[in-house]
Amino acid sequence: MSIEQDTDSPLLRLHQNEAPWGPPVAAVNRLKTAMSRTHLYPNRETESANSLVAAYFGVGSSSVVLTTGVDEATDLCLLEFKNLLTVIPGFYGFPDRAKALDTRCDTFVLDGWDGIPHALLAAASPGRLVILASPNNPTGMLFRERDLLALLERGCHVLIDHTYADFAGMSRTMSGSWLDRSDRVLVFRSFSKSFALAGLRVGCLLGSPALIQKLSSRQPFLSVDRLAVEVVSAVIEDDPEFPARLAARIIPLRELLTNMLRESGLFVSVLDSASNFVLAICRQSQDAVLVRDLLLDEARILVGLGDLFGVPEAVRITVTDEVGLARLREGLEVIGTQVRGEVGA
Ligand SMILES: Cc1ncc(COP(=O)(O)O)c(C=O)c1O
């Protein structure tokens, strides 16, 4: 049976950091009209989306390329640099894409939960590409400015994945940010999380015009489809504050989730997150598997297992709405006795 199959109780999806509420109304409205134009290639719409996205992030249009999510963005960078450095715990998508493209990838264990490892700094020579998500996934933590500066000083290229930036209260405008410091910096922004458009698979890379030109020349013809480019344009035009509003609703719920997990007594620690998910750490990896399995079996709640991200002893739980949190609280209570019994806590 698929875990998505309907039973009496619908599956509560807390495993992929999706928005708990539906997409922006502006997106749904534009989809209806965009559907009637799907017989046409989106040349003009892509150009116009590019300009809107650039203005939204405060850069020139030649500093942006739209991509089919972070995977295409990573692929374009890997094809250009062929030599990746990244961290663990970290987003598995980066090494996965390197593997898929037969590209060298060295991973380095974080210094604590949020420190860039010295060994990575030492290896980050000119010609190499470092990719870091900040906030990082699965820790939810931001990298420190001074650490990122030290990295840049090594002469490497750096791609900072700001997929979760809105949940960390970061400014959406990129002027005066990393991008202005060096033409070796690239930034990825996603429309999946705070724009609540994960199903459309669209994001963008921002960087110097010369670098963006090089990267985009490797893209397939109009790789982002009409529905995605039109919808992103509509949200930016009609409801540009949607992501900030969504983040403002998520942040207090994140505090509730963090406290609930801490009070549950099932975890040895729960990290403070600057994102839309929280990492809860068990004593050992079997305990994390048990929590994940029991929540699914007993409460139809799906949470992420940390093993994909290099923390097998943890579960990663997406921040959800009040109703979802109440259901999770109940689920944690139901499985509590069983978990404590099995792990002897
Ligand atoms: C760090 C990070 N980057 C990117 C993504 C995915 O972005 P997109 O949906 O735009 O491909 C995720 C998804 O979970 C993520 O955790």
Side-chain angles (χ1 to χ4, degrees):
M1 182 182 97
S2 149
I3 50 174
E4 305 270 357
Q5 197 171 312
D6 277 347
T7 63
D8 292 345
S9 161
L11 186 71
L12 179 58
R13 298 163 59 96
L14 305 183
H15 65 310
Q16 291 189 143
N17 307 336
E18 295 154 334
W21 309 286
V25 173
V28 177
N29 290 341
R30 184 69 64 94
L31 260 181
K32 290 179 194 150
T33 51
M35 284 293 284
S36 67
R37 295 191 286 263
T38 47
H39 59 303
L40 302 172
Y41 290 112
N43 310 61
R44 194 173 48 80
E45 290 78 2
T46 301
E47 221 173 280
S48 128
N50 218 75
S51 304
L52 285 164
V53 167
Y56 181 80
F57 288 121
V59 299
S61 347
S62 49
S63 286
V64 177
V65 58
L66 296 173
T67 64
T68 52
V70 76
D71 283 352
E72 189 190 12
T74 306
D75 286 3
L76 297 177
C77 294
L78 291 175
L79 290 168
E80 182 66 28
F81 295 101
K82 301 184 177 65
N83 208 323
L84 173 64
L85 306 170
T86 191
V87 293
I88 190 166
F91 181 53
Y92 62 87
F94 309 138
D96 269 11
R97 293 314 303 161
K99 194 166 171 216
L101 296 183
D102 245 337
T103 301
R104 177 171 169 193
C105 171
D106 296 322
T107 50
F108 297 84
V109 178
L110 282 179
D111 186 6
W113 286 115
D114 60 355
I116 296 181
H118 289 292
L120 186 152
L121 282 176
S125 49
R128 301 202 77 178
L129 171 71
V130 179
I131 308 187
L132 299 172
S134 188
N136 190 15
N137 180 4
T139 62
M141 292 180 175
L142 289 161
F143 287 102
R144 283 180 287 272
E145 184 101 352
R146 65 166 188 275
D147 289 358
L148 293 171
L149 272 176
L151 185 59
L152 209 50
E153 277 165 17
R154 299 289 306 155
C156 56
H157 280 75
V158 181
L159 166 57
I160 306 187
D161 175 350
H162 276 336
T163 287
Y164 300 103
D166 287 312
F167 306 108
M170 293 167 75
S171 159
R172 79 180 185 215
T173 167
M174 288 280 143
S175 71
S177 78
W178 284 103
L179 286 182
D180 289 345
R181 300 219 179 162
S182 164
D183 56 11
R184 288 180 283 107
V185 175
L186 286 157
V187 166
F188 175 77
R189 300 289 300 234
S190 173
F191 298 109
S192 295
K193 313 293 183 181
S194 57
F195 277 71
L197 296 173
L200 288 180
R201 314 303 307 116
V202 57
C204 65
L205 268 175
L206 313 171
S208 75
L211 189 48
I212 290 297
Q213 163 60 32
K214 267 197 205 172
L215 298 178
S216 58
S217 69
R218 297 182 182 279
Q219 278 189 302
F221 175 62
L222 296 174
S223 79
V224 181
D225 72 41
R226 168 179 289 279
L227 301 185
V229 295
E230 287 213 39
V231 164
V232 164
S233 296
V235 179
I236 289 176
E237 278 176 321
D238 301 344
D239 195 3
E241 296 310 318
F242 180 91
R245 286 202 312 276
L246 186 142
R249 291 178 74 184
I250 288 291
I251 290 166
L253 293 165
R254 178 176 74 205
E255 302 316 310
L256 291 177
L257 172 61
T258 306
N259 291 337
M260 178 197 301
L261 295 172
R262 285 184 179 146
E263 286 159 11
S264 73
L266 296 177
F267 306 103
V268 290
S269 71
V270 176
L271 302 189
D272 283 321
S273 170
S275 193
N276 69 339
F277 55 83
V278 173
L279 193 71
I281 298 152
C282 302
R283 218 174 297 279
Q284 52 187 347
S285 56
Q286 295 96 301
D287 304 350
V289 173
L290 189 64
V291 168
R292 194 270 316 259
D293 289 352
L294 285 174
L295 277 175
L296 185 57
D297 293 346
E298 306 287 335
R300 301 263 310 144
I301 297 173
L302 188 52
V303 301
L305 202 53
D307 64 345
L308 261 183
F309 305 86
V311 205
E313 68 278 22
V315 288
R316 195 201 59 193
I317 304 180
T318 305
V319 179
T320 187
D321 62 8
E322 289 83 354
V323 175
L325 285 183
R327 200 170 140 192
L328 179 64
R329 182 187 296 281
E330 230 173 81
L332 291 170
E333 276 166 21
V334 167
I335 72 165
T337 329
Q338 240 170 304
V339 174
R340 279 187 279 271
E342 296 226 12
V343 305

